[in-house]
Amino acid sequence: MAPIDVKKICCIGAGYVGGPTCAVIALKCPHITVTIVDLNQSRIDAWNSDDFSLPIYEPGLVDVVKQARGRNLFFSTDVDKAILEADLIFVSVNTPTKKSGVGAGFAADLNYVELATRRIAAVATSNKIVVEKSTVPCRTAESMRTILESNSHGGARFDILSNPEFLAEGTAIKDLLSPDRVLIGSLQTGEGLDACQALANVYANWVPKERILTVGLWSSELSKLAANAMLAQRISSINALSAICEATGANIDEVSHAVGFDSRIGPKFLRASVGFGGSCFQKDILNLVYLSESLHLPEVAAYWRQVVDMNEYQKSRFSKTVVDTLFKTITGKHIAVLGFAFKADTGDTRESAAITLIRDFLSERAYVTIYDPKVEESQIWQDLSEACPNTPLETIKKYVTIVHNVIEACKDKEAVVIATEWKEFLEIDWQTVYDHMTKPAFVFDGRLLIDADKLRKIGFKVKVIGRGDSTQ
Ligand SMILES: NC(=O)C1=CN([C@@H]2O[C@H](COP(=O)(O)OP(=O)(O)OC[C@H]3O[C@@H](n4cnc5c(N)ncnc54)[C@H](O)[C@@H]3O)[C@@H](O)[C@H]2O)C=CC1
Ligand SMILES: O=C(O)[C@H]1O[C@H](OP(=O)(O)OP(=O)(O)OC[C@H]2O[C@@H](n3ccc(=O)[nH]c3=O)[C@H](O)[C@@H]2O)[C@H](O)[C@@H](O)[C@@H]1O
């Protein structure tokens, strides 16, 4: 049998991954009809909105959707119809960390993957290639196959592929248009390899063939967890070194530069920070920890666990620096927090370090004023409510103010904390900020963004992560 020629694609899950990924497939493959479906009506309405106020912010995404929507790209809540018509179905639903039951706090919650898989089994009447796009534990494809085969009807055959996504938020469109690699895992059977080739042919419309890697199913699933674990490990390593820099007077920028110059190490992903955030690093490492423990490999589990522990340490170390520097108390003091998203160029706040910092400041009964260029106010209130479960929102609102620009955020504050590396923070008029702050005026840079010497000359007391300089 030859690989099928994919003509219709359905993507279940119109989130940060399903939306941009399948929009780019539609853009690059005008001969394929791509329908992205979701149960969430308001999300689909936003994808279909006349003014392109899409549910997620990604540079370049609106242009892609403008070109393809209505041509061969469609967004819908009619999940069954899209499944029925498709030759190939991406499962791109959320896989959060389990909150209760076996593996709570570590294992991935596969409920959404299972429900989507059961829906495919219930609806499909013809052969389908089912592609795991969500990040899942190793051997999830086996469970999907069992569900599909036990519930199939009308003689439909299912081939399961793993095709994990490596895009980063903020650069999703760039990453999708020019990926380092596309990874496709399949069973090494005739049918499995044909299905793999069918998907490879879709990507080959714009991705050079040598960047399309084909491997076994389990290797593909594990490679995704491994890539995220190793990326996060680099950040925890550099953040661990930033603590040594602060204690010794070494400069983390210089250390990163010197270390990264070694071609075996490389310069990327060595930027010290207030801690990594985002929906995936912590979740995927905890998933790997759980997998290792389930496989009776406690030393392996402990090794990866430490990457998350170091990240928690980095956040609490930063909060403590703020308290200690502000004369060991921030009770009743006013602090501006610049940035709430987990990184620049996204409105996503999942696991953002800013949330932990603000929670810590509120526990000391400080007043916090937040400015972020992209995060919605409602999202900030929701995140702070979840972070402080024992504090009613009305109480949180007495201590927290959300404003719309940097100057307003910093006015009459004792301290400014930089939590996200938004480009516009590079352009801040620090003299004006200083003139309007309570003195002594402190700046705490958790993102290596500011010119500390320049700010000190203005009169600020400055603390930068990974720099040993005093506040003088
Ligand atoms: N956010 C990111 O940058 C990346 C995420 N991933 C992985 O991709 C997967 C998806 O992540 P996101 O897109 O960020 O999640 P998300 O939460 O933004 O989107 C998931 C969507 O799936 C929908 N959904 C859930 N169950 C459904 C069902 N049965 N039928 C129809 N729709 C359903 C939800 O309503 C939601 O809109 C996760 O496994 C994540 O680990 C992988 C690479 C990057
Ligand atoms: O599986 C996923 O969800 C994705 O997770 C990350 O992407 P993302 O979380 O969107 O963004 P990153 O650029 O990796 O940043 C993650 C966090 O690390 C922080 N970071 C990053 C790099 C660095 O040098 N230092 C640092 O503190 C960022 O500020 C951010 O809080 C990976 O980079 C993607 O390859 C992967 O597909």
Side-chain angles (χ1 to χ4, degrees):
M1 231 174 53
I4 64 151
D5 190 14
V6 175
K7 293 199 177 68
K8 288 198 175 178
I9 289 179
C10 158
C11 173
I12 305 181
Y16 284 87
V17 167
T21 307
C22 286
V24 166
I25 291 179
L27 178 76
K28 292 293 181 183
C29 309
H31 56 290
I32 299 178
T33 303
V34 180
T35 307
I36 307 178
V37 294
D38 205 294
L39 299 172
N40 183 331
Q41 182 73 54
S42 63
R43 222 169 198 187
I44 290 298
D45 290 346
W47 283 110
N48 280 326
S49 56
D50 293 337
D51 62 351
F52 293 90
S53 40
L54 306 182
I56 58 176
Y57 170 72
E58 269 302 331
L61 177 61
V62 169
D63 284 347
V64 173
V65 175
K66 269 188 184 161
Q67 288 181 67
R69 199 179 73 186
R71 179 187 75 180
N72 64 326
L73 173 64
F74 303 93
F75 296 91
S76 167
T77 50
D78 194 343
V79 178
D80 291 1
K81 180 167 181 278
I83 292 175
L84 202 58
E85 292 178 351
D87 322 302
L88 184 147
I89 303 168
F90 285 106
V91 176
S92 187
V93 299
N94 34 329
T95 50
T97 305
K98 268 183 96 170
K99 288 197 172 134
S100 59
V102 177
F106 288 90
D109 183 347
L110 293 175
N111 191 34
Y112 302 98
V113 172
E114 178 164 342
L115 289 175
T117 309
R118 285 186 183 277
R119 204 64 225 149
I120 297 170
V123 171
T125 52
S126 58
N127 297 351
K128 309 282 175 199
I129 297 175
V130 179
V131 186
E132 254 176 18
K133 185 52 108 175
S134 300
T135 303
V136 289
C138 202
R139 297 195 83 93
T140 300
E142 195 165 39
S143 318
M144 288 172 79
R145 195 173 65 237
T146 307
I147 292 170
L148 289 167
E149 285 175 356
S150 326
N151 293 284
S152 98
H153 51 89
R157 215 197 60 241
F158 299 100
D159 290 301
I160 322 275
L161 299 175
S162 158
N163 172 220
E165 185 48 59
F166 296 102
L167 68 79
E169 287 179 31
T171 53
I173 298 303
K174 196 171 127 280
D175 296 341
L176 289 164
L177 290 174
S178 180
D180 283 352
R181 81 309 210 175
V182 166
L183 182 63
I184 307 176
S186 67
L187 285 182
Q188 303 300 298
T189 58
E191 290 93 347
L193 293 170
D194 279 347
C196 179
Q197 192 56 48
L199 181 57
N201 290 345
V202 172
Y203 284 110
N205 282 292
W206 79 98
V207 179
K209 285 206 168 53
E210 62 278 10
R211 291 191 179 219
I212 303 175
L213 313 183
T214 54
V215 297
L217 261 179
W218 323 132
S219 305
S220 173
E221 290 176 334
L222 186 57
S223 299
K224 173 62 194 177
L225 295 183
N228 272 0
M230 292 183 73
L231 286 168
Q233 181 201 44
R234 270 172 87 91
I235 304 171
S236 277
S237 297
I238 209 71
N239 282 344
L241 291 164
S242 77
I244 299 182
C245 285
E246 286 165 38
T248 56
N251 178 330
I252 196 65
D253 270 341
E254 292 176 352
V255 174
S256 298
H257 185 66
V259 169
F261 234 81
D262 186 322
S263 61
R264 294 168 302 174
I265 296 174
K268 292 184 181 166
F269 248 72
L270 286 180
R271 201 169 169 79
S273 68
V274 64
F276 61 74
S279 62
C280 292
F281 278 174
Q282 176 172 312
K283 157 176 93 67
D284 293 349
I285 295 172
L286 293 176
N287 195 339
L288 196 58
V289 169
Y290 183 70
L291 181 71
S292 309
E293 270 165 4
S294 319
L295 297 169
H296 309 293
L297 300 167
E299 291 80 3
V300 178
Y303 175 77
W304 289 113
R305 176 78 216 226
Q306 190 58 27
V307 173
V308 174
D309 289 349
M310 180 54 62
N311 198 48
E312 291 305 311
Y313 171 70
Q314 186 74 346
K315 290 185 269 184
S316 64
R317 204 169 68 76
F318 190 83
S319 298
K320 187 170 180 306
T321 300
V322 173
V323 176
D324 286 352
T325 310
L326 290 175
F327 314 111
K328 301 221 176 320
T329 175
I330 57 170
T331 305
K333 290 185 179 165
H334 293 79
I335 300 175
V337 174
L338 302 185
F340 195 83
F342 81 94
K343 63 184 276 195
D345 289 328
T346 177
D348 195 352
T349 61
R350 292 178 285 182
E351 305 296 338
S352 176
I355 301 173
T356 313
L357 299 184
I358 294 167
R359 183 203 62 199
D360 291 351
F361 299 157
L362 292 178
S363 74
E364 300 279 345
R365 281 174 288 123
Y367 293 94
V368 178
T369 301
I370 301 166
Y371 166 63
D372 187 284
K374 277 284 174 260
V375 179
E376 306 278 345
E377 273 194 31
S378 56
Q379 186 64 49
I380 296 180
W381 295 128
Q382 186 186 324
D383 289 335
L384 294 182
S385 296
E386 283 169 16
C388 312
N390 299 322
T391 313
L393 185 57
E394 300 78 66
T395 312
I396 294 175
K397 285 188 172 179
K398 280 188 194 144
Y399 285 89
V400 177
T401 312
I402 301 170
V403 298
H404 301 288
N405 64 63
V406 170
I407 300 291
E408 206 186 342
C410 301
K411 192 166 182 290
D412 300 326
K413 306 299 181 308
E414 272 104 331
V416 177
V417 169
I418 300 174
T420 311
E421 72 283 23
W422 283 103
K423 268 202 203 78
E424 70 169 77
F425 299 161
L426 287 168
E427 321 271 290
I428 294 174
D429 174 357
W430 286 107
Q431 183 64 57
T432 307
V433 169
Y434 183 76
D435 292 344
H436 290 89
M437 281 180 69
T438 304
K439 309 297 180 314
F442 292 86
V443 174
F444 298 89
D445 182 0
R447 290 294 187 166
L448 301 176
L449 208 79
I450 57 161
D451 180 342
D453 289 341
K454 191 173 133 197
L455 265 68
R456 287 196 182 99
K457 278 192 195 118
I458 293 174
F460 283 105
K461 310 277 185 199
V462 180
K463 285 266 186 192
V464 179
I465 206 130
R467 303 241 177 99
D469 301 335
S470 73
T471 55
Q472 302 316 304

